[in-house]
Amino acid sequence: MTSLQRREQLIEVGRSLFAAKGFEAVSVEEIAAHAKVSKPIVYEHFGGKEGLYAVIVDREMRALTGTLTAALDDPTVHPRQIVERTALALLTYIEENAEGFQVLVRDSPSTDPSGSFSSLMGDIAVRVEDILSETFKRQKLSAKGVPYYAQMLVGMTVFTGQYWADRPKVSKEQLAAYIVDLAWHGLSRLDSKPQLFFEGAKARKEAERRAKRESDSGSPDSDQTSSAQSDPEHATGEDSGLQNMRSGAQVTQHSAESGGEVLRFEQETEHND
């Protein structure tokens, strides 16, 4: 076995052990035993298990970064296609590089935060944020929540992928469809200024005002109109629904004019689904 072949063998052995047991639980002795070499051979090639681990993580990070960047790299396609392509790209990587993915998502001993899996996901979220910003501008939606929406999309996809890696009971295409179904239908119906209907300070104050009005009137029935107007489940929900219907019709018209590259292109979405 040549020096290069031996190095590749040690990388494969190390990746398998780190994926199964984690960095801390693996020793140089164990790596050498699985590779059927002496400990000095491991030290000669990598200086220890830290060096071997760093090489493995670097390879997997570059592979995953290239995969996801390529999926996000065509702004000319429909936004839904970007969501589909990115979800499928991550799941394909997980399917084809199961051990490498397990190494990445385990706790890293590295003291360099720039080389961690979380930093990679942060970089991907920034790219998603750029794409969402452009789309939000076209739709005249508030851009304040864009960084959070980007983190939600990336987090939802990554954590679902981790769950699927241990429980692959559906195909990657079906799982990608599940992810996109939730993400896209949520994105296509965003409110410009979303709010909580039943929880939170504003909702509690509204409930207190409604209770006070009913108490002052002495008859909930006589205040039915006022209650309906202030009930977030009925009033706010209805108003929001009407606004979404009106904005949906406007967006559909705009979509036809701009080639369909919009988030709220509901007619096309329903047709495709």
Side-chain angles (χ1 to χ4, degrees):
M1 187 176 290
T2 66
S3 177
L4 181 59
Q5 289 173 330
R6 179 66 72 190
R7 180 181 175 86
E8 292 301 316
Q9 180 207 21
L10 291 172
I11 289 174
E12 290 181 10
V13 168
R15 180 167 51 234
S16 180
L17 289 172
F18 291 138
K21 304 176 67 173
F23 176 82
E24 298 297 339
V26 176
S27 65
V28 173
E29 289 86 351
E30 188 173 9
I31 295 169
H34 277 75
K36 294 184 171 60
V37 298
S38 62
K39 287 172 53 179
I41 296 296
V42 179
Y43 288 112
E44 178 184 339
H45 282 277
F46 301 102
K49 73 171 185 177
E50 292 82 5
L52 175 58
Y53 180 86
V55 169
I56 293 169
V57 169
D58 180 66
R59 283 193 177 188
E60 297 301 327
M61 289 277 284
R62 284 190 285 111
L64 183 54
T65 300
T67 296
L68 296 179
T69 301
L72 293 165
D73 213 24
D74 187 358
T76 64
V77 301
H78 192 283
R80 173 159 180 158
Q81 186 174 355
I82 295 178
V83 178
E84 291 184 2
R85 182 184 294 170
T86 306
L88 198 54
L90 176 63
L91 297 178
T92 299
Y93 169 83
I94 294 173
E95 183 180 62
E96 297 178 353
N97 304 273
E99 289 182 344
F101 182 71
Q102 289 300 326
V103 171
L104 289 180
V105 297
R106 283 183 176 276
D107 292 337
S108 171
S110 174
T111 57
D112 180 12
S114 65
S116 67
F117 182 69
S118 61
S119 73
L120 169 60
M121 292 299 99
D123 292 342
I124 297 300
V126 170
R127 181 72 185 100
V128 173
E129 182 179 335
D130 292 339
I131 295 172
L132 288 181
S133 294
E134 292 301 317
T135 309
F136 273 47
K137 288 178 183 176
R138 290 199 299 269
Q139 298 308 310
K140 295 181 172 54
L141 291 169
S142 172
K144 182 187 296 186
V146 165
Y148 302 101
Y149 287 126
Q151 293 288 339
M152 292 173 204
L153 288 171
V154 173
M156 176 179 69
T157 306
V158 170
F159 283 112
T160 303
Q162 287 182 248
Y163 183 86
W164 176 73
D166 294 328
R167 304 165 184 83
K169 296 182 179 180
V170 299
S171 69
K172 65 181 178 184
E173 288 84 2
Q174 184 61 66
L175 181 58
Y178 290 152
I179 294 171
V180 174
D181 187 48
L182 178 60
W184 181 256
H185 286 103
L187 287 171
S188 66
R189 291 166 176 80
L190 288 180
D191 286 326
S192 181
K193 295 181 179 179
Q195 60 181 338
L196 299 175
F197 284 173
F198 302 102
E199 300 295 333
K202 290 181 65 175
R204 284 194 297 272
K205 288 180 181 178
E206 180 58 33
E208 290 170 1
R209 284 195 295 267
R210 184 165 62 252
K212 187 177 185 303
R213 283 196 299 269
E214 293 178 354
S215 175
D216 292 343
S217 68
S219 172
D221 292 337
S222 66
D223 199 32
Q224 184 176 3
T225 302
S226 175
S227 176
Q229 290 175 346
S230 61
D231 186 349
E233 184 178 7
H234 294 86
T236 310
E238 278 188 12
D239 291 346
S240 177
L242 290 173
Q243 290 171 3
N244 282 345
M245 288 174 64
R246 287 195 292 269
S247 63
Q250 294 170 355
V251 169
T252 300
Q253 179 181 357
H254 175 73
S255 301
E257 295 172 355
S258 62
E261 293 178 23
V262 295
L263 280 176
R264 296 190 182 183
F265 197 177
E266 297 182 9
Q267 290 183 352
E268 178 179 332
T269 301
E270 292 171 0
H271 175 71
N272 289 338
D273 292 345

